[in-house]
Amino acid sequence: MTAAQPQTMTDAEKAQFVLGVYFRTQAAIERFLGVEGLPQWTQNVAEINASAARHRVPDRVGQARDLLTGLESMLEVYGSDTTRVDEPNRTVLEVRRCGIYDYRERARENGVQLTLDRPCEYCVDLHQRTAAELGVTVHNELRERGCRWVADIPGDEAPR
């Protein structure tokens, strides 16, 4: 009898595994806290995200741009269809198709219990709270399986 050779995962399989663990953990947190407990959770996460942004990017202009960079990166992980345009006075992120929707549907089909009707309920609250923590003005418009975000770039570059 020979020992079975260990199976190695491809980088794509590893990424999907980690994404699955993250997604199921977030779904469990939402279920545990319930809709009424999520605002405090998103506030805590927003404070952590804002603190990390201040350490990564010391100037307010960079922080304003970084807010949508983080959102864009998260959406990219889920295979979303996005476009980003940086202008002198604002940054615009267009999400034509949010891959989180697709991922949620597959997760639900595989037995993951979801608390929120739409991923936007968490995402919008988190990013608005993070923006407030950074002193950045953001606007968003929800669409069917997509959205549009605009972060205003502050006129001064004084560190916060």
Side-chain angles (χ1 to χ4, degrees):
M1 177 179 279
T2 61
Q5 293 295 318
Q7 299 257 330
T8 57
M9 291 196 286
T10 67
D11 287 345
E13 290 168 332
K14 289 176 191 174
Q16 284 303 306
F17 176 79
V18 170
L19 185 59
V21 169
Y22 171 81
F23 188 88
R24 287 188 306 277
T25 301
Q26 180 66 27
I29 289 168
E30 292 169 5
R31 189 172 63 248
F32 176 75
L33 294 175
V35 174
E36 63 282 346
L38 280 177
Q40 184 59 50
W41 173 255
T42 55
Q43 181 60 41
N44 291 339
V45 175
E47 290 169 7
I48 292 166
N49 289 350
S51 177
R54 283 189 208 96
H55 283 90
R56 269 191 324 273
V57 185
D59 66 279
R60 293 184 67 224
V61 169
Q63 291 168 9
R65 293 196 192 287
D66 190 63
L67 178 72
L68 292 185
T69 298
L71 176 57
E72 181 182 31
S73 296
M74 180 182 68
L75 289 164
E76 184 178 287
V77 168
Y78 286 95
S80 300
D81 180 9
T82 64
T83 302
R84 168 83 176 267
V85 177
D86 289 328
E87 300 173 359
N89 63 342
R90 66 187 191 154
T91 295
V92 179
L93 177 62
E94 293 279 348
V95 182
R96 289 178 295 282
R97 188 189 52 74
C98 178
I100 297 172
Y101 266 98
D102 300 335
Y103 195 92
R104 284 172 49 91
E105 288 174 356
R106 288 190 307 271
R108 181 179 285 139
E109 289 169 3
N110 289 320
V112 176
Q113 192 175 22
L114 301 175
T115 301
L116 304 176
D117 292 332
R118 299 176 61 179
C120 312
E121 293 176 68
Y122 176 79
C123 183
V124 169
D125 189 39
L126 174 62
H127 289 89
Q128 287 177 341
R129 288 174 186 271
T130 303
E133 288 292 319
L134 291 170
V136 174
T137 302
V138 294
H139 315 275
N140 76 301
E141 173 189 325
L142 295 177
R143 300 174 180 157
E144 184 62 35
R145 293 189 179 248
C147 59
R148 181 175 194 264
W149 285 86
V150 177
D152 295 334
I153 304 302
D156 68 295
E157 294 191 32
R160 290 200 54 175

